[in-house]
């Protein structure tokens, strides 16, 4: 597809379960970002990939959160032992920028996670 | 943490009126961007202004940047009902590559 694709669009899980959220960026975009957005708030930065490596993971809230991008394209955000406070919309974005000041980000529609 | 704060938090206007939203930020920036988000959807990039620019136009959008006051404004002229959305400013700071978003302004344009 032409845009950033995120799956699933909705995920309901129980407290304590493991969750994976997938992001398929725009082809050729080297930079990939994960953000988390709670209701009525702006997106909160989680992690940024440049190619296969996590260039900045300072926004991951704790060690239950982990993200990978093994081939420099698709990325998976993994959340272990989910808690009710993890409920949010998880947004993925990609960008052409390979270094330096960030240009325009292209966002997916998000994955809405609800932890019961 | 949020770098920017938008003001007002919510704005309701009539179609045809102009809408002005303001963004204040805390630290020096490389550039500032404005994004739009329709309810339940992803964000869409509107415009980017670099730290050495003072004003930029794109269609009905006009963005200003005052680095001495650490603030920016987004003006939407001749608003339409379809402009109803949340608008966020986002900044890139230092040598980093991450965008830090503000808290957003909810704009409602009524017919």
């Amino acid at each position: 597809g032409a845009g950033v694709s995120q799956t699933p669009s909705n995920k309901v899980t129980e407290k304590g379960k493991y969750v994976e959220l997938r992001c398929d960026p725009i082809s050729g975009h080297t930079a990939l970002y994960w953000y988390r957005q709670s209701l009525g708030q702006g997106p909160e930065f989680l992690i940024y990939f440049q190619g296969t490596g996590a260039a900045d993971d300072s926004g991951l809230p704790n060690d239950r959160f982990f993200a990978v991008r093994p081939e420099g394209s698709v990325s998976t955000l993994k959340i272990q032992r989910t808690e009710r406070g993890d409920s949010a919309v998880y947004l993925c974005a990609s960008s052409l920028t390979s270094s330096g000041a960030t240009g325009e980000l292209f966002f997916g529609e998000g994955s809405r996670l609800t932890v019961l | 943490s949020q770098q920017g704060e938008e003001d007002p938090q919510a704005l309701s206007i009539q179609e045809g009126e102009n809408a002005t939203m303001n963004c204040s930020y805390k630290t020096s920036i490389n550039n500032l961007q404005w994004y739009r988000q329709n309810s339940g959807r992803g964000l869409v990039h509107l415009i980017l202004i670099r730290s050495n620019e003072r004003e930029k136009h794109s269609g009905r959008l006009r963005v200003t940047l005052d680095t001495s006051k650490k603030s920016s404004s987004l003006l939407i002229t001749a608003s339409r009902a379809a402009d109803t959305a949340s608008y966020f400013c986002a900044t890139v700071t230092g040598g980093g590559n991450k965008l830090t978003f503000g808290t957003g302004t909810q704009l409602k344009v009524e017919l």
Side-chain angles (χ1 to χ4, degrees):
Chain A
V4 177
S5 175
Q6 291 189 246
T7 54
S9 55
N10 276 287
K11 176 70 176 179
V12 180
T13 191
E14 293 180 342
K15 181 174 176 294
K17 298 289 188 182
Y18 170 80
V19 166
E20 286 191 355
L21 307 175
R22 175 188 165 109
C23 173
D24 198 342
I26 293 172
S27 177
H29 280 194
T30 57
L32 185 147
Y33 301 76
W34 283 100
Y35 285 82
R36 178 169 70 174
Q37 187 176 27
S38 300
L39 191 64
Q41 300 294 314
E44 176 190 16
F45 172 80
L46 296 178
I47 187 169
Y48 155 65
F49 286 90
Q50 188 57 251
T52 60
D56 184 345
D57 65 357
S58 61
L60 295 178
N62 51 60
D63 61 7
R64 295 187 298 105
F65 288 74
F66 191 71
V68 295
R69 195 186 186 199
E71 297 177 359
S73 178
V74 171
S75 176
T76 304
L77 178 65
K78 308 181 181 193
I79 310 173
Q80 298 177 318
R81 305 183 303 281
T82 52
E83 300 177 356
R84 292 193 180 88
D86 299 335
S87 296
V89 176
Y90 289 82
L91 296 166
C92 177
S94 68
S95 172
L96 268 174
T97 310
S98 59
S99 65
T102 299
E104 174 182 356
L105 262 58
F106 294 82
F107 280 84
E109 297 287 296
S111 292
R112 180 178 298 278
L113 175 65
T114 303
V115 182
L116 301 176
Chain B
S1 64
Q2 311 274 193
Q3 151 84 317
E5 286 192 10
E6 281 89 339
D7 166 55
Q9 289 187 339
L11 179 61
S12 183
I13 59 174
Q14 298 293 313
E15 198 171 48
E17 294 180 337
N18 295 342
T20 300
M21 289 159 268
N22 303 296
C23 168
S24 58
Y25 56 91
K26 299 173 185 172
T27 60
S28 297
I29 60 171
N30 289 329
N31 69 62
L32 185 145
Q33 302 179 33
W34 285 90
Y35 285 78
R36 165 199 169 121
Q37 185 177 37
N38 285 69
S39 182
R41 307 295 298 274
L43 284 83
V44 175
H45 179 266
L46 294 175
I47 196 164
L48 179 154
I49 187 165
R50 302 195 186 281
S51 59
N52 61 353
E53 297 176 312
R54 291 297 167 258
E55 187 170 315
K56 208 161 182 181
H57 296 255
S58 176
R60 293 186 296 114
L61 306 180
R62 173 179 167 246
V63 169
T64 61
L65 179 65
D66 187 336
T67 53
S68 67
K69 295 181 179 177
K70 292 187 170 59
S71 68
S72 173
S73 68
L74 171 67
L75 168 68
I76 304 174
T77 60
S79 63
R80 304 166 183 169
D83 294 330
T84 295
S86 292
Y87 291 82
F88 295 91
C89 68
T91 55
V92 177
T93 59
N97 290 74
K98 72 182 185 188
L99 234 56
T100 304
F101 284 84
T103 50
T105 292
Q106 279 192 318
L107 173 66
K108 183 175 182 181
V109 181
E110 301 186 65
L111 292 169

